[in-house]
Amino acid sequence: DAKTTQPTSMDCAEGRAANLPCNHSTISGNEYVYWYRQIHSQGPQYIIHGLKNNETNEMASLIITEDRKSSTLILPHATLRDTAVYYCIVRVILRNTDKLIFGTGTRLQVFP
Amino acid sequence: DTGVSQNPRHKITKRGQNVTFRCDPISEHNRLYWYRQTLGQGPEFLTYFQNEAQLEKSRLLSDRFSAERPKGSFSTLEIQRTEQGDSAMYLCASSYRGGPPYEQYFGPGTRLTVT
């Protein structure tokens, strides 16, 4: 199973862009990159996912390198409510398998 | 769409007792997942259902753990003869199968404390 590596923690000023990196050098061709975040004592919240193309939604942008070995989650204008643990995840979907493989995540602290 | 619900939200039990948790997925979601999360760690996959069929179980799911999803609707996770190492947050998620992979929506979790 592919695994991900993320910085343990990051800080970001409110209103600035937060760029969260992730390495997934052993990812396979049929495995997706997902990003979730978790605010203390709540269930993980979906942010965005991609296979090989860059993706954007109302919450964030996902930039995946051409070799798919790393990606970056971009929160364009961080707010205090974006303070959370952000997980970069590989999703394995095969015939009888469908699971998210979480790492330990990046604790993002947004400060005023 | 009321989201994924889990009950109870908190459970304190003594070592050796049995506990059962319930998960109600988003309606029409035919995939259901259980994860376990210990303090400071990311969630770990436990098991996965498609409709009523349990298609995969992690080796983390020892013989003391059993999960069911009768009729492909709600699911239960039972832990027999609980141990202190079972103390964790148990998370349930659901998703819809079909077309591109849809995101897994997580419930709020059940926090288990074994004393």
Side-chain angles (χ1 to χ4, degrees), chain A residues 36 38 91 98-100, chain B residues 31 33 35 37 102 104:
Chain A
Y36 278 73
Q38 189 172 27
R91 184 174 184 181
D98 182 3
K99 58 189 174 185
L100 299 174
Chain B
R31 293 189 172 185
Y33 317 80
Y35 293 82
Q37 185 174 26
Y102 293 96
Q104 295 184 16

Side-chain angles (χ1 to χ4, degrees), chain B residues 48-95:
Chain B
Y48 149 58
F49 290 85
Q50 183 165 300
N51 300 312
E52 67 276 7
Q54 187 174 20
L55 296 184
E56 185 179 7
K57 295 194 298 184
S58 164
R59 64 179 182 275
L60 294 174
L61 214 64
S62 74
D63 291 343
R64 297 184 298 105
F65 288 71
S66 63
E68 295 182 343
R69 193 183 182 200
K71 302 179 182 178
S73 56
F74 70 92
S75 175
T76 58
L77 178 67
E78 180 183 16
I79 308 175
Q80 296 181 329
R81 305 180 303 281
T82 53
E83 302 172 355
Q84 287 188 322
D86 297 331
S87 294
M89 175 78 84
Y90 290 84
L91 293 160
C92 175
S94 70
S95 74

Side-chain angles (χ1 to χ4, degrees), chain B residues 1-2 6-7 9-10 17 21 23-24 29-30 32-33 37 48 53 55 63 76 80-81 84 90 96 107 110 113-114:
Chain B
D1 181 356
T2 58
Q6 294 187 245
N7 289 288
R9 294 292 308 278
H10 303 274
Q17 298 295 305
F21 311 140
C23 170
D24 287 273
H29 278 194
N30 51 7
L32 187 145
Y33 317 80
Q37 185 174 26
Y48 149 58
L55 296 184
D63 291 343
T76 58
Q80 296 181 329
R81 305 180 303 281
Q84 287 188 322
Y90 290 84
Y96 176 73
T110 294
T113 302
V114 181

Side-chain angles (χ1 to χ4, degrees), chain A:
Chain A
D1 291 343
K3 294 184 179 179
T4 59
T5 305
Q6 301 175 251
T8 302
S9 63
M10 294 182 64
D11 291 337
C12 179
E14 189 177 20
R16 305 297 293 269
N19 296 288
L20 288 80
C22 178
N23 287 319
H24 31 80
S25 58
T26 60
I27 195 169
S28 299
N30 60 345
E31 295 173 345
Y32 289 76
V33 178
Y34 276 69
W35 284 82
Y36 278 73
R37 71 182 182 185
Q38 189 172 27
I39 298 171
H40 184 62
S41 297
Q42 298 182 18
Q45 177 192 20
Y46 168 80
I47 301 173
I48 198 167
H49 76 274
L51 183 60
K52 51 185 177 181
N53 297 322
N54 297 338
E55 303 288 345
T56 295
N57 63 21
E58 65 279 4
M59 289 184 67
S61 294
L62 174 61
I63 309 298
I64 303 175
T65 58
E66 191 169 346
D67 62 9
R68 302 212 323 125
K69 292 185 177 182
S70 65
S71 61
T72 301
L73 177 74
I74 301 172
L75 306 178
H77 305 287
T79 70
L80 298 178
R81 288 178 295 180
D82 292 323
T83 293
V85 177
Y86 286 77
Y87 292 102
C88 171
I89 298 157
V90 169
R91 184 174 184 181
V92 180
I93 305 177
L94 299 172
R95 183 177 177 188
N96 289 326
T97 297
D98 182 3
K99 58 189 174 185
L100 299 174
I101 302 174
F102 287 76
T104 52
T106 295
R107 184 172 299 278
L108 176 68
Q109 180 69 51
V110 181
F111 58 91

